[in-house]
Amino acid sequence: MPVFRIHRMKDNPRQQFRWAPHVSGAASVKQKDYEPSGEVDAENEYAAWASLRGSDVPLMVGDILEMAEGQLRICKYIGFEEARWFVPETPVPETPVHEMPVPEAAPAQA
């Protein structure tokens, strides 16, 4: 049976998430907005949701289930949808013009 790692959304981001408009496609989520919260054995994400529904810590809107392969599924009002961890782009340092190497002149041919 598959094991899902549970990532619980923190309270502040959850309030923003609850009122955000629904968008199609994979959700981009930030790891800083989540806390690890154990694991659950279930056939799929809906079975995981059902097994936790009556517990002290049910899955809530915004919570994430992570599959063993690293795929993320986010709990939304309409069910579970694909999600991905947000990875910020690494800025490429710019070389100032005055520090750029000057190409050497080719030797003169006779």
Side-chain angles (χ1 to χ4, degrees):
M1 185 173 301
V3 175
F4 293 91
R5 284 187 294 268
I6 303 168
H7 300 275
R8 304 267 181 199
M9 186 178 263
K10 295 177 182 177
D11 288 333
N12 263 353
R14 187 181 311 276
Q15 295 308 316
Q16 295 170 1
F17 182 81
R18 291 177 60 108
W19 300 110
H22 176 74
V23 294
S24 60
S28 180
V29 293
K30 297 178 181 177
Q31 285 186 316
K32 69 179 183 87
D33 292 340
Y34 290 85
E35 296 175 338
S37 181
E39 298 178 340
V40 61
D41 294 329
E43 288 296 321
N44 57 46
E45 59 269 24
Y46 294 97
W49 177 85
S51 71
L52 294 171
R53 180 176 45 186
S55 74
D56 292 340
V57 285
L59 286 177
M60 297 171 56
V61 171
D63 290 344
I64 290 177
L65 293 175
E66 182 178 2
M67 299 175 204
E69 304 84 33
Q71 297 168 320
L72 304 178
R73 304 289 287 168
I74 189 166
C75 182
K76 292 189 170 185
Y77 289 109
I78 60 169
F80 286 88
E81 292 189 351
E82 181 183 1
R84 292 189 185 110
W85 292 123
F86 172 76
V87 179
E89 289 186 26
T90 308
V92 178
E94 292 185 27
T95 305
V97 175
H98 68 278
E99 292 181 18
M100 293 182 73
V102 177
E104 294 183 26
Q109 293 184 359

